[in-house]
């Protein structure tokens, strides 16, 4: 949500400084640089990378035993659970007792900035941190079910994908989305769904259905800190972690929600779209909802067409949708950095200051000027796509015969060019 939010949508938490459309960046150089980076990486990989090099959860250099002992100690896990519960209680008390004013109450900033955006750097640096902090797991542990039912394998992480879509609707579309009544209603629905699901299926439910836990766990695939298949805590190349992403049902839907929601975030700042919202006979909320769904569906449809083309090129590829879905994760990460960096470094400290008791705290100035911010945004998107090309190429040379390994990833390469140009276009158009 960089720039001025659309009137009537109740989004006072602007994602950045100024309007994206005024950023001093030449569209020609942005498009040309992005296309050149993708093309050079694709050609270099085709010439120099003929066999798979990523070993998934078999790779990694073990950390010292003392470090693993501390990380896995029950006292450490308990302390993290208590920390998560204490922060959640602090957030709830502000919702219940604090003023209904986002300039005086840190609750909205805690949800939309510290949690949603803060999980990105936290998960990249430390791994799947929300699984350790999740206050819902603490509540669950107070009274776990005696005979939980197994969660059907076909469910996968589809519930989390639906939860992420609902959360992004709350963040980007819902009217009065910082009002305490709105946040309390959303919290009640979230608690009800998660605790009822856990009461039926046990604590495995959270790993499949809690949107924040799944979100953090997927981002953690790009962390240098991870676990090997034998349980050892290791340092590894993020590519190995990315390669170990489970091909679970719902993975494509989850990643496409991340791609589509950040794309809609960019679209929501477009003057033409703002005019559409203001003049639509359906009203701004209904129109924005359809826009969010349409952009997400477009991201999914493009990937679906790509997967269909892969299947046509090699009938032996049994799971074209999930086989390459992991390569979309760095792309989603690039979009998240591009769209939320400025929000995190400005509204994040402001939220912390308000939590300390200061009303109407001023957000600090962004460490980057408009030119630096524009460069960072484009660089994040291009870097994410280049990493996606590398991940897709390594998977391609593993799955396709040598004679078709490069040609087999052409549909993915075309898709990534389309995603790249579209993402940059939403930033600077």
């Amino acid at each position: 949500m960089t720039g001025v939010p659309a009137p009537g949508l109740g989004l006072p938490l602007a994602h950045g400084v100024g309007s994206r459309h005024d950023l001093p960046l030449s569209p020609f150089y942005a498009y040309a640089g992005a296309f050149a980076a993708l093309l050079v990486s694709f050609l270099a990989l085709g010439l120099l990378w003929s066999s798979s090099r990523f070993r998934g959860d078999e790779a990694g250099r073990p950390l010292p035993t003392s470090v693993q002992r501390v990380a896995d100690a029950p006292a450490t896990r308990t302390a993290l659970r208590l920390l998560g519960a204490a922060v959640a209680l602090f957030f709830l008390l502000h919702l219940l007792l604090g003023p209904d004013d986002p300039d005086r109450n840190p609750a909205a900033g805690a949800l939309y900035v510290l949690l949603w955006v803060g999980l990105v750097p936290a998960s990249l640096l430390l791994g799947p941190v929300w699984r350790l902090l999740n206050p819902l797991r603490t509540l669950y542990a107070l009274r776990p079910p005696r005979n939980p039912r197994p969660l059907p394998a076909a469910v996968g992480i589809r519930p989390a994908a639906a939860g992420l879509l609902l959360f992004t609707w709350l963040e980007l579309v819902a009217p009065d989305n910082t009002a305490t009544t709105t946040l309390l209603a959303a919290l009640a629905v979230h608690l009800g769904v998660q605790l009822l699901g856990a009461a039926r299926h046990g604590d495995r439910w959270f790993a499949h259905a809690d949107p924040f836990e799944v979100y953090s766990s997927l981002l953690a695939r790009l962390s240098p800190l991870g676990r090997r298949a034998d349980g050892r805590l290791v340092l590894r190349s993020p590519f190995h972690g990315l390669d170990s992403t489970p091909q679970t049902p719902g993975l494509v839907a989850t990643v496409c929600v991340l791609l589509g929601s950040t794309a809609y975030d960019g679209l929501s700042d477009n003057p033409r779209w703002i005019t559409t919202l203001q003049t639509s006979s359906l009203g701004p909320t209904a129109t924005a909802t359809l826009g969010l769904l349409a952009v997400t569906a477009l991201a999914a449809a493009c990937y679906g067409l790509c997967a269909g083309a892969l299947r046509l090129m090699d009938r032996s590829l049994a799971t074209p949708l999930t086989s390459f879905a992991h390569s979309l994760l760095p792309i989603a990460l690039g979009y998240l950095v591009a769209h939320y960096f400025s929000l995190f470094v400005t509204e994040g400290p402001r939220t912390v200051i308000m939590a300390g008791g200061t009303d109407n705290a001023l957000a600090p100035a962004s460490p980057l000027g408009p030119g630096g911010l524009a460069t960072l945004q484009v660089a994040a998107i291009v870097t994410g796509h280049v990493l996606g090309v590398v991940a897709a190429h390594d998977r391609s040379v593993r799955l396709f015969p040598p004679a078709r390994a490069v040609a087999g990833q052409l549909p993915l390469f075309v898709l990534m060019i389309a995603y790249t140009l579209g993402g940059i276009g939403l930033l600077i158009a």
Side-chain angles (χ1 to χ4, degrees):
M1 287 190 297
T2 302
V4 180
L9 294 186
L11 300 174
L13 290 175
H15 284 195
V17 286
S19 171
R20 264 195 289 260
H21 310 287
D22 296 327
L23 295 178
L25 192 66
S26 165
F28 172 79
Y29 289 116
Y31 287 129
F35 180 79
L38 289 174
L39 181 61
V40 169
S41 62
F42 177 77
L43 294 175
L45 290 168
L47 292 172
L48 305 174
W49 197 308
S50 59
S51 61
S52 177
R53 303 183 184 183
F54 303 147
R55 295 185 291 119
D57 57 9
E58 299 296 328
R61 176 176 298 178
L63 290 174
T65 304
S66 58
V67 174
Q68 174 138 2
R69 189 179 300 118
V70 171
D72 291 341
T76 302
R77 300 303 177 97
T78 301
L80 291 173
R81 286 276 185 264
L82 292 175
L83 174 62
V87 172
L89 181 60
F90 185 75
F91 166 75
L92 180 60
L93 289 175
H94 272 284
L95 273 180
L96 293 172
L97 306 176
D100 191 7
D101 180 356
D103 288 327
R104 299 172 59 203
N105 191 327
L111 175 62
Y112 296 125
V113 182
L114 297 184
L115 176 59
W116 176 242
V117 185
L119 275 178
V120 176
S123 301
L124 290 177
L125 292 173
L126 302 173
V129 291
W130 191 245
R131 187 168 59 201
L132 301 175
L133 295 170
N134 193 346
L136 295 177
R137 286 185 176 269
T138 304
L139 284 176
Y140 166 85
L142 297 176
R143 193 175 180 180
R146 292 183 179 179
N147 298 302
R149 299 182 181 183
L151 191 67
V155 171
I157 57 174
R158 290 190 176 104
L164 282 171
L165 183 60
L166 289 173
F167 176 79
T168 55
W169 178 87
L170 177 69
E171 182 209 13
L172 299 172
V173 174
D176 300 323
N177 66 349
T178 59
T180 55
T181 53
T182 302
L183 293 176
L184 283 170
L187 178 61
V189 172
H190 179 64
L191 283 173
V193 170
Q194 295 302 317
L195 293 180
L196 285 174
R200 183 178 179 86
H201 297 290
D203 60 354
R204 286 180 56 84
W205 172 259
F206 299 115
H208 292 263
D210 186 316
F212 300 107
E213 188 164 316
V214 170
Y215 171 65
S216 173
S217 297
L218 287 177
L219 292 174
R221 294 290 169 182
L222 288 158
S223 172
L225 189 65
R227 296 268 182 182
R228 279 195 327 211
D230 60 4
R232 288 298 304 270
L233 194 63
V234 297
L235 289 177
R236 64 187 181 190
S237 163
F239 282 115
H240 292 300
L242 189 61
D243 187 64
S244 68
T245 305
Q247 296 181 36
T248 183
L251 175 62
V252 174
T254 303
V255 179
C256 287
V257 167
L258 294 176
L259 291 172
S261 62
T262 49
Y264 178 78
D265 184 15
L267 175 65
S268 65
D269 189 45
N270 187 288
R272 293 182 180 178
W273 180 246
I274 293 174
T275 300
T276 299
L277 294 178
Q278 293 172 330
T279 58
S280 172
S281 59
L282 296 175
T285 302
T287 304
T289 300
L290 291 175
L292 174 62
L293 293 175
V295 174
T296 303
L298 178 62
C302 289
Y303 181 71
L305 289 173
C306 173
L310 290 172
R311 182 63 185 274
L312 289 174
M313 296 179 71
D314 191 336
R315 295 287 184 177
S316 65
L317 186 61
T319 57
L321 275 175
T322 55
S323 293
F324 291 91
H326 71 298
S327 67
L328 299 183
L329 281 173
I331 299 173
L333 174 62
Y335 284 167
L336 288 166
V337 172
H339 286 263
Y340 290 109
F341 170 82
S342 186
L343 173 74
F344 186 66
V345 299
T346 55
E347 292 293 340
R350 179 173 177 267
T351 299
V352 173
I353 293 170
M354 278 197 291
T358 302
D359 290 342
N360 296 301
L362 296 177
S366 173
L368 299 177
L373 178 60
T375 301
L376 172 68
Q377 290 174 324
V378 173
I381 289 177
V382 174
T383 301
H385 283 81
V386 170
L387 296 179
V389 168
V390 174
H393 177 83
D394 187 85
R395 183 64 58 86
S396 179
V397 297
R398 182 187 306 170
L399 296 179
F400 292 121
R404 294 202 301 270
V406 175
Q409 60 182 305
L410 281 174
L412 283 165
F413 180 62
V414 172
L415 175 70
M416 291 183 182
I417 289 177
Y419 277 168
T420 303
L421 299 183
I424 293 176
L426 289 172
L427 286 174
I428 64 179

